């Protein structure tokens, strides 16, 4: 057994810094590279792409990235685990195989983890007694059934561990949890048992530190952003995992960023609910047991973690079409910037009323004044400029377009010293709403398909 | 006791889960945690945010890292892609909570 393994975060979300994964492989030793691509809205976009072309439905720009990354992975013997497979992991795996074949990497094994996509099984599942009620509102799925655009189960580390057992060096998955892709290599390498809850919870917390990329290593760092070195080439986190169930968070020395108890604490609380019950498909992790200790510059030991058994359910992420939003912005300047922006808001609202247009919601904020702070922001006198930020939400596309036509005319018809309209009419965007639900674990089975490059 | 702004003794990060914003408030030094625990009640936090938070505020203690985690319900204008708020994901709620006032002993030297 290895004394420890290094699991490097290569991407915090789809659209993150493109060369971060390349730097993680190039700039120092790592054993695994993990990359997160998926958010709720992403699955819906991918389903749309797949419905137009059955070969698509995965993160398209992952393929050109593999042209650069794959030779490095092979040279440095690094295993890649990513959920770039979206709603078509097998298609994604085949596209990677094509590159590997062209490059002549005979013997390389590539795996797809799938079975999480239950969009086509929804009615069968409901008919056989799985209500898929909304976890937050308790509403019945039938209320939005026709608008559903994607439905995926969150798998944990299990199928990824299976793919690792089969010898895969590149693993593309569908909806596997962000924490599962970091936990899987630990279970595989150290042979942790599936009921060793404390160790599994430790791996999950390592995954939580990795899952947002540089947010775990000095990015978006409130307590000391001024002192974070070289943010233009910030080093993403690397989790050194040890068989006894402790971790050291670190980063490559040659890259920027900062790994300190404070940067880790900020990431630990990110998107956290009840800290004692961090529920994943693999276990429940107790964040109130985490101990941190800075053992050297840019090295923080994470230990003492307790876990509890997993629940009988998978979380399901369902997305559905729920109308449109449109947000317009106009910039008003001194003198009386705020009063001008307020007047413009009043005019737009009166115009909508005059035109007989009604929306589910209309909302105004003043950027530069109190948009981000709301009631917590103290008032300021005579700002140099204020941006009017006005949005509406509704189901009727034509009415949404009519709102969009009402913003820019203010430039010639409303208060003076207004600018910042160069982007033209506000866009009308689709609302893809999120429906969280639970599904009994025995109703779906993860699948693993491994192919060898010939 | 003297009044100071929370930002002098704590740092924070916030994010979203649907229409709920979460914000973790972390003591800058271990000895500050007791102040946070005593004074940052769910009720006071709810008051501070006023109409920004339509629902209830829940508080969880994390003495191990000197932090409190708050859940601010119905705080993101519907959340997700539904919201019309500029801060759609509650990313800057962290800064907003640090505007709160807390009382600390007079002899504490805090810059």
């Amino acid at each position: 057994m290895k004394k420890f393994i290094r699991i490097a975060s290569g991407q915090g979300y789809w659209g993150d810094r493109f060369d971060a994964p390349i730097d993680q492989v190039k700039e120092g030793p790592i054993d695994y590279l993990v990359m997160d691509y998926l958010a709720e809205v992403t699955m819906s976009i991918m389903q749309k792409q797949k419905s137009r072309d059955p070969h698509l439905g995965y993160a398209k720009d992952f393929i050109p990235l593999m042209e650069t990354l794959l030779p490095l992975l092979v040279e440095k013997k690094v295993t890649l685990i990513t959920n770039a497979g979206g709603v078509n992991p097998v298609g994604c795996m085949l596209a990677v195989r094509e590159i590997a074949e062209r490059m002549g990497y005979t013997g390389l094994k590539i795996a797809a983890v799938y079975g999480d996509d239950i969009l086509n099984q929804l009615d069968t599942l409901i008919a056989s007694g799985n209500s898929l009620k909304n976890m937050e509102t308790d509403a019945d799925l039938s209320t939005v059934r026709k608008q559903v655009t994607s439905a995926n189960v969150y798998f944990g580390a299990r199928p990824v561990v299976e793919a690792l057992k089969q010898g895969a060096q590149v693993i593309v998955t569908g909806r596997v949890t962000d924490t599962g892709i970091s936990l899987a290599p630990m279970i595989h390498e150290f042979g942790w048992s599936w009921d060793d809850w404390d160790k599994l919870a430790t791996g999950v917390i390592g995954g939580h530190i990795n899952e947002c990329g540089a947010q775990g290593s000095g990015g978006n760092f409130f307590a000391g952003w001024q002192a974070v070195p070289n943010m233009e080439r910030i080093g993403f986190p690397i989790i050194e995992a040890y068989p006894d169930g402790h971790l050291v968070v670190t980063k490559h020395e040659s890259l920027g960023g900062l790994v300190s108890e404070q940067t880790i604490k900020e990431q630990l609380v990110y998107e956290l609910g009840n800290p004692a019950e961090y529920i994943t498909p693999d276990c429940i992790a107790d964040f109130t047991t985490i101990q941190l200790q800075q053992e050297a510059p840019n090295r923080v030991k994470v230990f003492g973690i307790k876990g509890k058994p997993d629940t009988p359910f998978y979380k399901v992420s369902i997305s559905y079409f729920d109308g449109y939003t449109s947000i317009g912005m106009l910039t008003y300047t001194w003198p009386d910037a705020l009063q001008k922006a307020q007047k413009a808001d009043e005019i737009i609202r009166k115009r909508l009323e005059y035109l007989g247009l009604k929306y589910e919601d209309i909302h105004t904020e003043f950027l530069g004044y109190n948009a981000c702070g709301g009631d917590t922001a103290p008032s300021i006198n005579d700002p140099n400029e204020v941006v009017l930020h006005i949005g509406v939400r509704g189901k009727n596309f034509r009415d949404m377009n009519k709102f969009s036509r009402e913003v820019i005319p203010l430039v010639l018809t409303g208060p003076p010293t207004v600018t910042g309209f160069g982007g033209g009419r506000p866009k009308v965007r689709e609302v893809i709403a999120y429906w969280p639900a639970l599904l009994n674990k025995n109703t779906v089975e993860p699948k693993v398909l491994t192919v060898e490059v010939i | 006791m003297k009044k100071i702004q929370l930002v002098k003794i704590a740092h924070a990060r916030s994010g979203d889960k649907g229409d709920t914003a979460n914000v973790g408030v972390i003591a800058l030094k271990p000895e500050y945690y007791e102040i946070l625990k005593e004074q940052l009640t769910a009720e006071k936090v709810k008051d501070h945010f006023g109409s920004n938070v339509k629902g209830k505020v829940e508080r969880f203690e994390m003495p191990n890292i000197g932090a409190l985690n708050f859940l601010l319900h119905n705080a993101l204008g519907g959340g997700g892609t539904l919201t019309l708020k500029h801060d759609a994901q509650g990313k800057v709620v962290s800064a907003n909570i640090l505007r709160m006032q807390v009382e600390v002993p007079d002899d504490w030297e805090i810059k």
Side-chain angles (χ1 to χ4, degrees):
Chain A
M1 193 193 299
K2 289 176 186 155
K3 273 165 74 182
F4 65 92
I5 54 168
R6 301 178 197 87
I7 304 157
S9 165
Q11 174 165 288
Y13 68 100
W14 192 4
D16 206 349
R17 196 169 280 171
F18 80 92
D19 49 4
I22 297 163
D23 278 345
Q24 287 291 59
V25 183
K26 262 187 178 169
E27 294 293 319
I30 60 168
D31 303 291
Y32 291 87
L33 180 69
V34 294
M35 294 177 72
D36 178 39
Y37 274 87
L38 301 182
E40 283 78 31
V41 181
T42 322
M43 300 309 269
S44 164
I45 296 167
M46 288 171 164
Q47 284 290 8
K48 198 179 264 180
Q49 290 169 348
K50 193 183 170 191
S51 68
R52 286 187 199 128
D53 180 347
H55 295 101
L56 298 179
Y58 52 86
K60 260 199 258 179
D61 52 2
F62 173 67
I63 303 307
L65 172 70
M66 282 306 280
E67 300 267 356
T68 317
L69 201 52
L70 190 58
L72 291 168
L73 296 173
V74 171
E75 182 200 329
K76 309 258 185 182
K77 298 188 170 59
V78 173
T79 298
L80 172 67
I81 307 170
T82 175
N83 55 22
V87 299
N88 190 2
V90 173
C92 183
M93 179 260 275
L94 294 174
V96 175
R97 184 176 71 173
E98 219 175 280
I99 297 173
E101 273 176 4
R102 175 158 40 78
M103 291 182 171
Y105 295 128
T106 308
L108 182 83
K109 287 183 179 168
I110 307 165
V113 169
Y114 60 106
D116 58 298
D117 182 358
I118 55 166
L119 184 62
N120 296 325
Q121 293 154 251
L122 276 184
D123 296 320
T124 330
L125 284 167
I126 294 167
S128 56
N130 303 283
S131 73
L132 296 169
K133 274 181 192 288
N134 188 308
M135 275 169 74
E136 277 155 22
T137 64
D138 211 37
D140 214 274
L141 186 65
S142 61
T143 54
V144 299
R145 175 66 191 92
K146 284 188 182 131
Q147 292 128 263
V148 170
T149 49
S150 74
N152 295 77
V153 169
Y154 283 85
F155 287 143
R158 269 175 201 271
V160 181
V161 172
E162 179 56 35
L164 288 168
K165 261 192 204 152
Q166 294 175 12
Q169 197 180 344
V170 176
I171 301 169
V172 290
T173 77
R175 189 61 273 198
V176 168
T177 54
D178 310 345
T179 54
I181 57 178
S182 282
L183 168 63
M186 305 182 207
I187 297 170
H188 172 66
E189 295 270 2
F190 305 143
W192 290 350
S193 102
W194 287 104
D195 59 2
D196 196 340
W197 309 114
D198 295 349
K199 290 200 177 75
L200 297 183
T202 304
V204 161
I205 284 161
H208 183 85
I209 293 167
N210 256 349
E211 73 179 336
C212 297
Q215 241 195 187
S217 53
N220 192 21
F221 176 41
F222 195 100
W225 58 273
Q226 302 92 333
V228 176
N230 303 333
M231 289 172 98
E232 68 284 355
R233 272 194 83 197
I234 198 163
F236 281 36
I238 297 169
I239 305 291
E240 276 180 20
Y242 291 79
D244 68 350
H246 82 274
L247 314 168
V248 174
V249 186
T250 186
K251 66 171 194 69
H252 287 320
E253 218 170 294
S254 59
L255 299 172
L258 179 68
V259 178
S260 69
E261 288 185 27
Q262 286 187 327
T263 63
I264 301 303
K265 283 178 187 176
E266 285 194 18
Q267 178 53 21
L268 286 177
V269 298
Y270 183 64
E271 289 185 347
L272 188 60
N274 177 354
E277 307 249 311
Y278 185 91
I279 302 171
T280 77
D282 302 301
C283 68
I284 297 174
D286 184 350
F287 276 48
T288 68
T289 60
I290 302 170
Q291 299 298 316
L292 300 178
Q293 191 192 343
Q294 186 97 41
E295 54 167 46
N298 291 312
R299 288 182 65 83
V300 173
K301 186 178 171 184
V302 183
F303 60 103
I305 294 159
K306 298 280 173 203
K308 285 177 275 192
D310 60 330
T311 78
F313 304 103
Y314 282 126
K315 191 170 175 187
V316 184
S317 160
I318 298 170
S319 63
Y320 63 101
F321 169 74
D322 197 22
Y324 307 91
T325 60
S326 184
I327 294 173
M329 291 198 263
L330 288 171
T331 307
Y332 288 89
T333 73
W334 180 92
D336 304 318
L338 178 63
Q339 290 76 8
K340 288 168 184 165
Q342 284 168 334
K343 183 70 183 174
D345 174 49
E346 183 193 318
I347 297 167
I348 293 174
R349 285 171 183 259
K350 281 186 176 163
R351 281 286 301 172
L352 299 178
E353 204 183 311
Y354 165 71
L355 294 168
L357 295 168
K358 289 208 169 58
Y359 300 96
E360 286 170 12
D361 194 10
I362 174 162
H363 179 73
T364 307
E365 293 177 338
F366 299 100
L367 302 187
Y369 182 66
N370 70 350
C372 295
D375 282 0
T376 68
S379 63
I380 48 169
N381 285 321
D382 210 12
N384 288 314
E385 61 247 349
V386 166
V387 178
L388 167 68
H389 182 282
I390 179 167
V392 298
R393 183 173 65 237
K395 298 275 195 288
N396 184 313
F397 186 73
R398 277 174 55 194
D399 287 355
M400 294 301 294
N401 259 322
K402 285 180 184 164
F403 162 80
S404 155
R405 286 203 309 240
E406 286 300 319
V407 180
I408 307 296
L410 265 284
V411 173
L412 301 184
T413 62
T417 66
V418 53
T419 187
F421 48 85
R425 272 201 216 167
K427 283 198 182 88
V428 175
R429 296 172 193 278
E430 282 188 0
V431 172
I432 301 299
Y434 173 53
W435 184 282
L438 295 174
L439 184 62
N440 221 300
K441 278 183 177 161
N442 57 27
T443 46
V444 274
E445 197 59 45
K447 297 184 176 69
V448 179
L449 176 64
T450 304
V451 294
E452 195 172 329
V453 176
I454 42 169
Chain B
M1 298 290 268
K2 59 182 176 188
K3 274 199 170 178
I4 57 161
Q5 210 166 23
L6 183 56
V7 71
K8 300 282 186 194
I9 61 164
H11 56 129
R13 179 169 290 174
S14 56
D16 67 321
K17 263 206 172 83
D19 198 21
T20 300
N22 106 286
V23 55
V25 179
I26 308 155
L28 280 166
K29 289 183 179 173
E31 59 265 35
Y32 298 159
Y33 177 65
E34 283 305 311
I35 300 277
L36 306 185
K37 197 177 135 186
E38 271 170 34
Q39 299 183 34
L40 295 187
T41 60
E43 198 182 3
K44 274 196 193 158
V45 169
K46 166 91 178 151
D47 273 357
H48 173 71
F49 280 98
S51 69
N52 297 14
V53 178
K54 315 276 186 230
K56 64 175 179 180
V57 170
E58 283 183 277
R59 183 182 106 153
F60 300 94
E61 294 172 14
M62 302 176 77
N64 54 319
I65 58 164
L68 297 172
N69 186 39
F70 295 93
L71 296 183
L72 316 178
H73 294 274
N74 306 105
L76 298 174
T81 59
L82 225 76
T83 184
L84 301 172
K85 285 172 82 79
H86 189 61
D87 184 24
Q89 288 93 20
K91 294 278 185 189
V92 303
V93 172
S94 54
N96 295 341
I97 198 167
L98 295 176
R99 283 188 189 272
M100 285 179 76
Q101 297 281 327
V102 287
E103 287 188 345
V104 298
D106 287 318
D107 58 350
W108 277 18
E109 278 180 34
I110 291 160
K111 53 175 177 70

